[in-house]
Amino acid sequence: MNELNELKQKGKVPDLAYFGGGKEFGKVLHVGKPNIGSRETFMKMMNDLLDRGWLTNNGPYVREFEARIARQANAKHCIAMCNGTIALEIAVRALGMRGEVIVPSFTFVATAHCLQWQEITPVFCDIEPTTHTIDPEQIERLITPRTTGIIAVHLWGNSCNIAALEKIAKRYNLKLLFDASHALGVSHKGVRIGNFGDAEVFSFHATKFVNCFEGGAIVTNNDNMAEKIRLMKNFGFDGLDNVTYLGTNGKMSEPSAAMGLTSLDNMQDFIASNESNYRAYSRNLLSVPGCSMLRYDELEENNFQYIVVEINEAAFGLSRDQLVQLLHAENIRARRYFYPGVHNMEPYRSNSPSAGLVLSVTKRVTSEVMSLPTGTAVDTGIVQRICDLISFISANSSEIRQKLQ
Ligand code: T4K
């Protein structure tokens, strides 16, 4: 903060030229920068799998990865996949969803694409303001005779209102799938995510705190579902030349599983980094007006993998978009996840132009939320400097606002 402090002492406000060139942070700080576990372990596994000559198709590392994820989630079955999106598509198909399925709009686009890809219509539902998860109260109003299911998202690793969702699913005979892409290692009322609904789907994309480069998994306690999913992700093969089911190729490869296993070895360290960054952000942003952080439920296990901040323009002095612009100019690549809401993306915007009418919380949140860098690439010193910068921007917002115009 040297330059900023100097300017501050001289009573000067940095102009846009200051907010550029990354004077504050020499290196770019990304949201989603992958955690890399022990390179030594990973390289050894890569050598082993090359020596073994078994690169994919249910190899030993994939089987070990599945066993460890199932154990981690305390669930009966884990079927590893090549990514979270294909895992969602296969889960939707295995559950027999069709017609219409209710989903939040405030999520990554894959939650809706996994349906539309199979010509199932996503019907967008609003979210609860404190957790950003689907609002069960609105779901009932969206149910039609064509509705066959709900995909709820444990967004940011905050679990949904599961009891309410299970009640609705039961009452209307709907399938209930959880997109748990963000929620590995999270508990809900003391039970690990992976045990709810008909199935839950994890993503192990490079940007997730446990990653397989690309990867995903379906976790379920239902034996029949698990068997069906295993067939579906491997072209329907049951034995060497016996295809018993319509399937696709959703298999995870051995190098991906090796990365996943390495990541799992370091999972607790990754969570510890995330948690100390989360606590440092919470402490430092507390006094910044108009800046509020999404809280994790302290009574549960959390992975703390997203730092989610809501910017109230009136109190902060600048809009979320203006703040993000300034942070980017300083090499802090804050992200506007999940702007503009899936209902505002194609093909949904064209297919259901009035979907936004019932999404008032989504509308506000998509214009106010940003994610900040965390993970092992960031430490509490860096967090402090990011927060100092945000605080400085807010304190000088009226002058900065004029310069931005
Ligand atoms: N459901 C939910 C709720 C999800 O969040 C996701 C994925 C899915 C389903 C689908 O799961 P997958 O099929 O992906 O397994 C990224 C990820 O690609 C995506 O996996 C993730 N959600 C989403 C939240 O974030 P983008 O479009 O933001 O990616 P991109 O390329 O802009 O990268 C994100 C940030 O990470 C950048 O700041 C750069 C940094 N990065 C990225 C990669 C790949 C790195 O520093 N290194 C890297 O290797 O979607």
PDB file of all heavy atoms in Angstrom, residues 30-34 83-85 88 107-108 110-111 153 179 181-182 203 205-208 215 335 337-338, ligand 1:
ATOM      1  N   HIS A  30      -5.941 -14.317  -9.546  1.00  0.00           N
ATOM      2  CA  HIS A  30      -7.168 -14.842 -10.148  1.00  0.00           C
ATOM      3  C   HIS A  30      -8.097 -15.422  -9.106  1.00  0.00           C
ATOM      4  O   HIS A  30      -7.641 -16.079  -8.168  1.00  0.00           O
ATOM      5  CB  HIS A  30      -6.834 -15.989 -11.118  1.00  0.00           C
ATOM      6  CG  HIS A  30      -6.276 -15.532 -12.422  1.00  0.00           C
ATOM      7  ND1 HIS A  30      -7.015 -14.831 -13.338  1.00  0.00           N
ATOM      8  CD2 HIS A  30      -5.042 -15.689 -12.962  1.00  0.00           C
ATOM      9  CE1 HIS A  30      -6.273 -14.584 -14.404  1.00  0.00           C
ATOM     10  NE2 HIS A  30      -5.064 -15.088 -14.200  1.00  0.00           N
ATOM     11  N   VAL A  31      -9.395 -15.241  -9.315  1.00  0.00           N
ATOM     12  CA  VAL A  31     -10.370 -16.093  -8.622  1.00  0.00           C
ATOM     13  C   VAL A  31     -10.272 -17.442  -9.330  1.00  0.00           C
ATOM     14  O   VAL A  31     -10.221 -17.480 -10.555  1.00  0.00           O
ATOM     15  CB  VAL A  31     -11.804 -15.518  -8.794  1.00  0.00           C
ATOM     16  CG1 VAL A  31     -12.855 -16.506  -8.320  1.00  0.00           C
ATOM     17  CG2 VAL A  31     -11.931 -14.191  -8.062  1.00  0.00           C
ATOM     18  N   GLY A  32     -10.222 -18.529  -8.600  1.00  0.00           N
ATOM     19  CA  GLY A  32     -10.229 -19.842  -9.249  1.00  0.00           C
ATOM     20  C   GLY A  32      -8.851 -20.354  -9.614  1.00  0.00           C
ATOM     21  O   GLY A  32      -8.726 -21.335 -10.348  1.00  0.00           O
ATOM     22  N   LYS A  33      -7.789 -19.701  -9.132  1.00  0.00           N
ATOM     23  CA  LYS A  33      -6.438 -20.221  -9.398  1.00  0.00           C
ATOM     24  C   LYS A  33      -6.323 -21.595  -8.717  1.00  0.00           C
ATOM     25  O   LYS A  33      -6.591 -21.740  -7.529  1.00  0.00           O
ATOM     26  CB  LYS A  33      -5.402 -19.253  -8.834  1.00  0.00           C
ATOM     27  CG  LYS A  33      -3.997 -19.705  -9.030  1.00  0.00           C
ATOM     28  CD  LYS A  33      -3.174 -18.655  -9.717  1.00  0.00           C
ATOM     29  CE  LYS A  33      -1.894 -19.250 -10.221  1.00  0.00           C
ATOM     30  NZ  LYS A  33      -0.709 -18.625  -9.754  1.00  0.00           N
ATOM     31  N   PRO A  34      -5.940 -22.596  -9.486  1.00  0.00           N
ATOM     32  CA  PRO A  34      -5.977 -23.958  -8.924  1.00  0.00           C
ATOM     33  C   PRO A  34      -5.045 -24.157  -7.732  1.00  0.00           C
ATOM     34  O   PRO A  34      -3.952 -23.592  -7.686  1.00  0.00           O
ATOM     35  CB  PRO A  34      -5.515 -24.830 -10.097  1.00  0.00           C
ATOM     36  CG  PRO A  34      -5.723 -24.014 -11.312  1.00  0.00           C
ATOM     37  CD  PRO A  34      -5.568 -22.567 -10.904  1.00  0.00           C
ATOM     38  N   ASN A  83     -16.275 -34.650 -16.263  1.00  0.00           N
ATOM     39  CA  ASN A  83     -16.475 -33.299 -15.734  1.00  0.00           C
ATOM     40  C   ASN A  83     -17.845 -33.219 -15.045  1.00  0.00           C
ATOM     41  O   ASN A  83     -18.652 -34.154 -15.142  1.00  0.00           O
ATOM     42  CB  ASN A  83     -16.328 -32.212 -16.825  1.00  0.00           C
ATOM     43  CG  ASN A  83     -17.329 -32.372 -17.950  1.00  0.00           C
ATOM     44  OD1 ASN A  83     -18.530 -32.427 -17.717  1.00  0.00           O
ATOM     45  ND2 ASN A  83     -16.835 -32.463 -19.177  1.00  0.00           N
ATOM     46  N   GLY A  84     -18.085 -32.104 -14.388  1.00  0.00           N
ATOM     47  CA  GLY A  84     -19.329 -31.959 -13.635  1.00  0.00           C
ATOM     48  C   GLY A  84     -20.552 -31.835 -14.541  1.00  0.00           C
ATOM     49  O   GLY A  84     -21.639 -32.291 -14.179  1.00  0.00           O
ATOM     50  N   THR A  85     -20.375 -31.222 -15.705  1.00  0.00           N
ATOM     51  CA  THR A  85     -21.519 -31.008 -16.601  1.00  0.00           C
ATOM     52  C   THR A  85     -22.042 -32.331 -17.146  1.00  0.00           C
ATOM     53  O   THR A  85     -23.250 -32.578 -17.162  1.00  0.00           O
ATOM     54  CB  THR A  85     -21.107 -30.069 -17.764  1.00  0.00           C
ATOM     55  OG1 THR A  85     -20.575 -28.879 -17.181  1.00  0.00           O
ATOM     56  CG2 THR A  85     -22.271 -29.720 -18.654  1.00  0.00           C
ATOM     57  N   LEU A  88     -23.861 -34.082 -14.465  1.00  0.00           N
ATOM     58  CA  LEU A  88     -25.231 -33.570 -14.312  1.00  0.00           C
ATOM     59  C   LEU A  88     -26.142 -34.140 -15.410  1.00  0.00           C
ATOM     60  O   LEU A  88     -27.262 -34.578 -15.144  1.00  0.00           O
ATOM     61  CB  LEU A  88     -25.247 -32.039 -14.391  1.00  0.00           C
ATOM     62  CG  LEU A  88     -24.800 -31.270 -13.142  1.00  0.00           C
ATOM     63  CD1 LEU A  88     -24.598 -29.789 -13.451  1.00  0.00           C
ATOM     64  CD2 LEU A  88     -25.814 -31.423 -12.005  1.00  0.00           C
ATOM     65  N   THR A 107     -26.757 -19.305 -10.829  1.00  0.00           N
ATOM     66  CA  THR A 107     -25.873 -20.468 -10.786  1.00  0.00           C
ATOM     67  C   THR A 107     -24.990 -20.426 -12.027  1.00  0.00           C
ATOM     68  O   THR A 107     -25.178 -19.574 -12.902  1.00  0.00           O
ATOM     69  CB  THR A 107     -26.688 -21.781 -10.740  1.00  0.00           C
ATOM     70  OG1 THR A 107     -25.788 -22.907 -10.724  1.00  0.00           O
ATOM     71  CG2 THR A 107     -27.608 -21.938 -11.939  1.00  0.00           C
ATOM     72  N   PHE A 108     -24.045 -21.342 -12.120  1.00  0.00           N
ATOM     73  CA  PHE A 108     -23.265 -21.471 -13.348  1.00  0.00           C
ATOM     74  C   PHE A 108     -24.182 -22.068 -14.417  1.00  0.00           C
ATOM     75  O   PHE A 108     -25.044 -22.901 -14.115  1.00  0.00           O
ATOM     76  CB  PHE A 108     -22.059 -22.376 -13.103  1.00  0.00           C
ATOM     77  CG  PHE A 108     -21.071 -22.412 -14.230  1.00  0.00           C
ATOM     78  CD1 PHE A 108     -20.419 -21.277 -14.641  1.00  0.00           C
ATOM     79  CD2 PHE A 108     -20.794 -23.606 -14.890  1.00  0.00           C
ATOM     80  CE1 PHE A 108     -19.500 -21.304 -15.680  1.00  0.00           C
ATOM     81  CE2 PHE A 108     -19.876 -23.652 -15.925  1.00  0.00           C
ATOM     82  CZ  PHE A 108     -19.233 -22.495 -16.321  1.00  0.00           C
ATOM     83  N   ALA A 110     -24.091 -24.293 -16.519  1.00  0.00           N
ATOM     84  CA  ALA A 110     -24.176 -25.747 -16.720  1.00  0.00           C
ATOM     85  C   ALA A 110     -25.386 -26.362 -16.018  1.00  0.00           C
ATOM     86  O   ALA A 110     -25.916 -27.379 -16.470  1.00  0.00           O
ATOM     87  CB  ALA A 110     -22.896 -26.422 -16.226  1.00  0.00           C
ATOM     88  N   THR A 111     -25.838 -25.738 -14.914  1.00  0.00           N
ATOM     89  CA  THR A 111     -26.990 -26.294 -14.183  1.00  0.00           C
ATOM     90  C   THR A 111     -28.231 -26.324 -15.075  1.00  0.00           C
ATOM     91  O   THR A 111     -29.050 -27.237 -14.979  1.00  0.00           O
ATOM     92  CB  THR A 111     -27.284 -25.452 -12.905  1.00  0.00           C
ATOM     93  OG1 THR A 111     -26.071 -25.145 -12.249  1.00  0.00           O
ATOM     94  CG2 THR A 111     -28.207 -26.193 -11.963  1.00  0.00           C
ATOM     95  N   VAL A 153     -29.018 -26.096  -6.130  1.00  0.00           N
ATOM     96  CA  VAL A 153     -27.555 -25.920  -6.132  1.00  0.00           C
ATOM     97  C   VAL A 153     -27.097 -25.482  -4.737  1.00  0.00           C
ATOM     98  O   VAL A 153     -27.614 -24.496  -4.201  1.00  0.00           O
ATOM     99  CB  VAL A 153     -27.139 -24.844  -7.169  1.00  0.00           C
ATOM    100  CG1 VAL A 153     -25.618 -24.754  -7.269  1.00  0.00           C
ATOM    101  CG2 VAL A 153     -27.762 -25.122  -8.529  1.00  0.00           C
ATOM    102  N   ASP A 179     -27.029 -30.095  -7.386  1.00  0.00           N
ATOM    103  CA  ASP A 179     -25.771 -29.703  -8.006  1.00  0.00           C
ATOM    104  C   ASP A 179     -24.872 -29.266  -6.851  1.00  0.00           C
ATOM    105  O   ASP A 179     -25.022 -28.166  -6.299  1.00  0.00           O
ATOM    106  CB  ASP A 179     -26.019 -28.561  -9.002  1.00  0.00           C
ATOM    107  CG  ASP A 179     -24.740 -28.064  -9.652  1.00  0.00           C
ATOM    108  OD1 ASP A 179     -23.650 -28.343  -9.117  1.00  0.00           O
ATOM    109  OD2 ASP A 179     -24.831 -27.369 -10.690  1.00  0.00           O
ATOM    110  N   SER A 181     -21.615 -28.972  -6.967  1.00  0.00           N
ATOM    111  CA  SER A 181     -20.305 -28.644  -7.553  1.00  0.00           C
ATOM    112  C   SER A 181     -19.395 -27.902  -6.589  1.00  0.00           C
ATOM    113  O   SER A 181     -18.176 -28.030  -6.655  1.00  0.00           O
ATOM    114  CB  SER A 181     -20.495 -27.782  -8.806  1.00  0.00           C
ATOM    115  OG  SER A 181     -21.077 -28.546  -9.813  1.00  0.00           O
ATOM    116  N   HIS A 182     -20.000 -27.072  -5.706  1.00  0.00           N
ATOM    117  CA  HIS A 182     -19.192 -26.240  -4.804  1.00  0.00           C
ATOM    118  C   HIS A 182     -19.087 -26.843  -3.402  1.00  0.00           C
ATOM    119  O   HIS A 182     -18.511 -26.218  -2.527  1.00  0.00           O
ATOM    120  CB  HIS A 182     -19.833 -24.853  -4.645  1.00  0.00           C
ATOM    121  CG  HIS A 182     -20.006 -24.098  -5.929  1.00  0.00           C
ATOM    122  ND1 HIS A 182     -20.662 -22.890  -6.002  1.00  0.00           N
ATOM    123  CD2 HIS A 182     -19.615 -24.367  -7.197  1.00  0.00           C
ATOM    124  CE1 HIS A 182     -20.672 -22.457  -7.242  1.00  0.00           C
ATOM    125  NE2 HIS A 182     -20.049 -23.339  -8.002  1.00  0.00           N
ATOM    126  N   SER A 203     -18.265 -31.220  -8.831  1.00  0.00           N
ATOM    127  CA  SER A 203     -17.348 -30.869  -9.921  1.00  0.00           C
ATOM    128  C   SER A 203     -15.931 -30.849  -9.360  1.00  0.00           C
ATOM    129  O   SER A 203     -15.711 -30.378  -8.238  1.00  0.00           O
ATOM    130  CB  SER A 203     -17.672 -29.478 -10.478  1.00  0.00           C
ATOM    131  OG  SER A 203     -16.575 -28.993 -11.244  1.00  0.00           O
ATOM    132  N   HIS A 205     -13.449 -29.511 -11.399  1.00  0.00           N
ATOM    133  CA  HIS A 205     -12.768 -28.661 -12.383  1.00  0.00           C
ATOM    134  C   HIS A 205     -11.559 -27.983 -11.724  1.00  0.00           C
ATOM    135  O   HIS A 205     -11.518 -27.812 -10.499  1.00  0.00           O
ATOM    136  CB  HIS A 205     -13.759 -27.594 -12.893  1.00  0.00           C
ATOM    137  CG  HIS A 205     -13.154 -26.683 -13.898  1.00  0.00           C
ATOM    138  ND1 HIS A 205     -12.686 -25.426 -13.578  1.00  0.00           N
ATOM    139  CD2 HIS A 205     -12.914 -26.860 -15.219  1.00  0.00           C
ATOM    140  CE1 HIS A 205     -12.183 -24.866 -14.672  1.00  0.00           C
ATOM    141  NE2 HIS A 205     -12.317 -25.713 -15.679  1.00  0.00           N
ATOM    142  N   ALA A 206     -10.610 -27.577 -12.558  1.00  0.00           N
ATOM    143  CA  ALA A 206      -9.375 -26.948 -12.056  1.00  0.00           C
ATOM    144  C   ALA A 206      -9.634 -25.820 -11.059  1.00  0.00           C
ATOM    145  O   ALA A 206      -8.820 -25.574 -10.166  1.00  0.00           O
ATOM    146  CB  ALA A 206      -8.583 -26.407 -13.247  1.00  0.00           C
ATOM    147  N   THR A 207     -10.757 -25.128 -11.211  1.00  0.00           N
ATOM    148  CA  THR A 207     -11.034 -23.990 -10.331  1.00  0.00           C
ATOM    149  C   THR A 207     -11.655 -24.394  -8.998  1.00  0.00           C
ATOM    150  O   THR A 207     -11.830 -23.547  -8.134  1.00  0.00           O
ATOM    151  CB  THR A 207     -12.009 -23.013 -11.031  1.00  0.00           C
ATOM    152  OG1 THR A 207     -13.166 -23.759 -11.445  1.00  0.00           O
ATOM    153  CG2 THR A 207     -11.386 -22.360 -12.232  1.00  0.00           C
ATOM    154  N   LYS A 208     -11.980 -25.677  -8.844  1.00  0.00           N
ATOM    155  CA  LYS A 208     -12.557 -26.131  -7.564  1.00  0.00           C
ATOM    156  C   LYS A 208     -11.428 -26.453  -6.589  1.00  0.00           C
ATOM    157  O   LYS A 208     -10.329 -26.838  -7.003  1.00  0.00           O
ATOM    158  CB  LYS A 208     -13.437 -27.373  -7.796  1.00  0.00           C
ATOM    159  CG  LYS A 208     -14.583 -27.130  -8.755  1.00  0.00           C
ATOM    160  CD  LYS A 208     -15.583 -26.137  -8.180  1.00  0.00           C
ATOM    161  CE  LYS A 208     -16.739 -25.847  -9.100  1.00  0.00           C
ATOM    162  NZ  LYS A 208     -16.459 -24.947 -10.204  1.00  0.00           N
ATOM    163  N   GLY A 215     -13.061 -32.789 -14.057  1.00  0.00           N
ATOM    164  CA  GLY A 215     -13.612 -33.988 -13.424  1.00  0.00           C
ATOM    165  C   GLY A 215     -14.931 -33.701 -12.743  1.00  0.00           C
ATOM    166  O   GLY A 215     -15.282 -32.542 -12.503  1.00  0.00           O
ATOM    167  N   ARG A 335     -14.373 -11.628  -9.868  1.00  0.00           N
ATOM    168  CA  ARG A 335     -15.333 -12.122 -10.872  1.00  0.00           C
ATOM    169  C   ARG A 335     -16.757 -11.767 -10.463  1.00  0.00           C
ATOM    170  O   ARG A 335     -17.085 -11.753  -9.275  1.00  0.00           O
ATOM    171  CB  ARG A 335     -15.209 -13.645 -11.022  1.00  0.00           C
ATOM    172  CG  ARG A 335     -13.917 -14.094 -11.681  1.00  0.00           C
ATOM    173  CD  ARG A 335     -13.798 -13.660 -13.130  1.00  0.00           C
ATOM    174  NE  ARG A 335     -14.834 -14.213 -13.969  1.00  0.00           N
ATOM    175  CZ  ARG A 335     -14.667 -15.233 -14.821  1.00  0.00           C
ATOM    176  NH1 ARG A 335     -13.487 -15.792 -14.946  1.00  0.00           N
ATOM    177  NH2 ARG A 335     -15.671 -15.663 -15.553  1.00  0.00           N
ATOM    178  N   TYR A 337     -19.361 -13.518 -10.649  1.00  0.00           N
ATOM    179  CA  TYR A 337     -20.206 -14.727 -10.631  1.00  0.00           C
ATOM    180  C   TYR A 337     -21.513 -14.423  -9.913  1.00  0.00           C
ATOM    181  O   TYR A 337     -21.491 -13.805  -8.858  1.00  0.00           O
ATOM    182  CB  TYR A 337     -19.509 -15.871  -9.902  1.00  0.00           C
ATOM    183  CG  TYR A 337     -18.329 -16.455 -10.620  1.00  0.00           C
ATOM    184  CD1 TYR A 337     -17.148 -16.699  -9.942  1.00  0.00           C
ATOM    185  CD2 TYR A 337     -18.386 -16.765 -11.972  1.00  0.00           C
ATOM    186  CE1 TYR A 337     -16.052 -17.257 -10.589  1.00  0.00           C
ATOM    187  CE2 TYR A 337     -17.305 -17.326 -12.627  1.00  0.00           C
ATOM    188  CZ  TYR A 337     -16.137 -17.567 -11.937  1.00  0.00           C
ATOM    189  OH  TYR A 337     -15.065 -18.109 -12.574  1.00  0.00           O
ATOM    190  N   PHE A 338     -22.690 -14.814 -10.331  1.00  0.00           N
ATOM    191  CA  PHE A 338     -23.021 -15.467 -11.569  1.00  0.00           C
ATOM    192  C   PHE A 338     -23.881 -14.525 -12.404  1.00  0.00           C
ATOM    193  O   PHE A 338     -25.027 -14.799 -12.684  1.00  0.00           O
ATOM    194  CB  PHE A 338     -23.741 -16.799 -11.297  1.00  0.00           C
ATOM    195  CG  PHE A 338     -22.780 -17.837 -10.766  1.00  0.00           C
ATOM    196  CD1 PHE A 338     -22.672 -18.096  -9.424  1.00  0.00           C
ATOM    197  CD2 PHE A 338     -21.941 -18.506 -11.649  1.00  0.00           C
ATOM    198  CE1 PHE A 338     -21.773 -19.039  -8.953  1.00  0.00           C
ATOM    199  CE2 PHE A 338     -21.042 -19.464 -11.173  1.00  0.00           C
ATOM    200  CZ  PHE A 338     -20.950 -19.721  -9.829  1.00  0.00           C
TER     201      PHE A 338
HETATM  202  N1  T4K B   1     -22.532 -26.354 -11.580  1.00  0.00           N
HETATM  203  C1  T4K B   1     -21.940 -25.327 -10.932  1.00  0.00           C
HETATM  204  C2  T4K B   1     -22.680 -24.656  -9.829  1.00  0.00           C
HETATM  205  C3  T4K B   1     -20.654 -24.925 -11.298  1.00  0.00           C
HETATM  206  O1  T4K B   1     -20.062 -23.873 -10.662  1.00  0.00           O
HETATM  207  C4  T4K B   1     -19.993 -25.595 -12.343  1.00  0.00           C
HETATM  208  C5  T4K B   1     -18.686 -25.159 -12.772  1.00  0.00           C
HETATM  209  C6  T4K B   1     -20.643 -26.674 -12.963  1.00  0.00           C
HETATM  210  C7  T4K B   1     -21.917 -27.021 -12.554  1.00  0.00           C
HETATM  211  C8  T4K B   1     -20.023 -27.461 -14.070  1.00  0.00           C
HETATM  212  O2  T4K B   1     -18.897 -28.211 -13.641  1.00  0.00           O
HETATM  213  P1  T4K B   1     -17.717 -28.533 -14.704  1.00  0.00           P
HETATM  214  O3  T4K B   1     -18.336 -29.157 -15.945  1.00  0.00           O
HETATM  215  O4  T4K B   1     -16.993 -27.265 -15.002  1.00  0.00           O
HETATM  216  O5  T4K B   1     -16.877 -29.535 -13.947  1.00  0.00           O
HETATM  217  C9  T4K B   1     -15.298 -21.661 -14.264  1.00  0.00           C
HETATM  218  C10 T4K B   1     -15.152 -23.163 -14.393  1.00  0.00           C
HETATM  219  O6  T4K B   1     -14.773 -23.515 -15.715  1.00  0.00           O
HETATM  220  C11 T4K B   1     -16.376 -23.925 -14.009  1.00  0.00           C
HETATM  221  O7  T4K B   1     -15.962 -25.249 -13.757  1.00  0.00           O
HETATM  222  C12 T4K B   1     -16.987 -23.385 -12.735  1.00  0.00           C
HETATM  223  N2  T4K B   1     -18.225 -24.022 -12.428  1.00  0.00           N
HETATM  224  C13 T4K B   1     -17.201 -21.899 -12.846  1.00  0.00           C
HETATM  225  C14 T4K B   1     -17.763 -21.328 -11.577  1.00  0.00           C
HETATM  226  O8  T4K B   1     -15.960 -21.277 -13.100  1.00  0.00           O
HETATM  227  P2  T4K B   1     -15.358 -19.756 -16.032  1.00  0.00           P
HETATM  228  O9  T4K B   1     -16.095 -19.569 -17.301  1.00  0.00           O
HETATM  229  O10 T4K B   1     -15.443 -18.696 -15.031  1.00  0.00           O
HETATM  230  O11 T4K B   1     -13.836 -20.163 -16.328  1.00  0.00           O
HETATM  231  P3  T4K B   1     -12.561 -19.255 -16.608  1.00  0.00           P
HETATM  232  O12 T4K B   1     -11.814 -19.869 -17.713  1.00  0.00           O
HETATM  233  O13 T4K B   1     -12.963 -17.827 -16.727  1.00  0.00           O
HETATM  234  O14 T4K B   1     -11.686 -19.439 -15.283  1.00  0.00           O
HETATM  235  C15 T4K B   1     -12.107 -19.005 -14.029  1.00  0.00           C
HETATM  236  C16 T4K B   1     -10.965 -18.370 -13.271  1.00  0.00           C
HETATM  237  O15 T4K B   1     -10.023 -19.350 -12.885  1.00  0.00           O
HETATM  238  C17 T4K B   1     -10.197 -17.311 -14.009  1.00  0.00           C
HETATM  239  O16 T4K B   1     -10.041 -16.224 -13.108  1.00  0.00           O
HETATM  240  C18 T4K B   1      -8.867 -17.924 -14.331  1.00  0.00           C
HETATM  241  C19 T4K B   1      -8.692 -19.012 -13.278  1.00  0.00           C
HETATM  242  N3  T4K B   1      -8.037 -20.210 -13.780  1.00  0.00           N
HETATM  243  C20 T4K B   1      -8.749 -21.072 -14.543  1.00  0.00           C
HETATM  244  C21 T4K B   1      -8.178 -22.232 -15.019  1.00  0.00           C
HETATM  245  C22 T4K B   1      -8.971 -23.190 -15.864  1.00  0.00           C
HETATM  246  C23 T4K B   1      -6.718 -20.462 -13.474  1.00  0.00           C
HETATM  247  O17 T4K B   1      -6.068 -19.642 -12.771  1.00  0.00           O
HETATM  248  N4  T4K B   1      -6.141 -21.621 -13.923  1.00  0.00           N
HETATM  249  C24 T4K B   1      -6.827 -22.529 -14.677  1.00  0.00           C
HETATM  250  O18 T4K B   1      -6.286 -23.590 -15.024  1.00  0.00           O
HETATM  251  O19 T4K B   1     -15.912 -21.123 -15.394  1.00  0.00           O
END
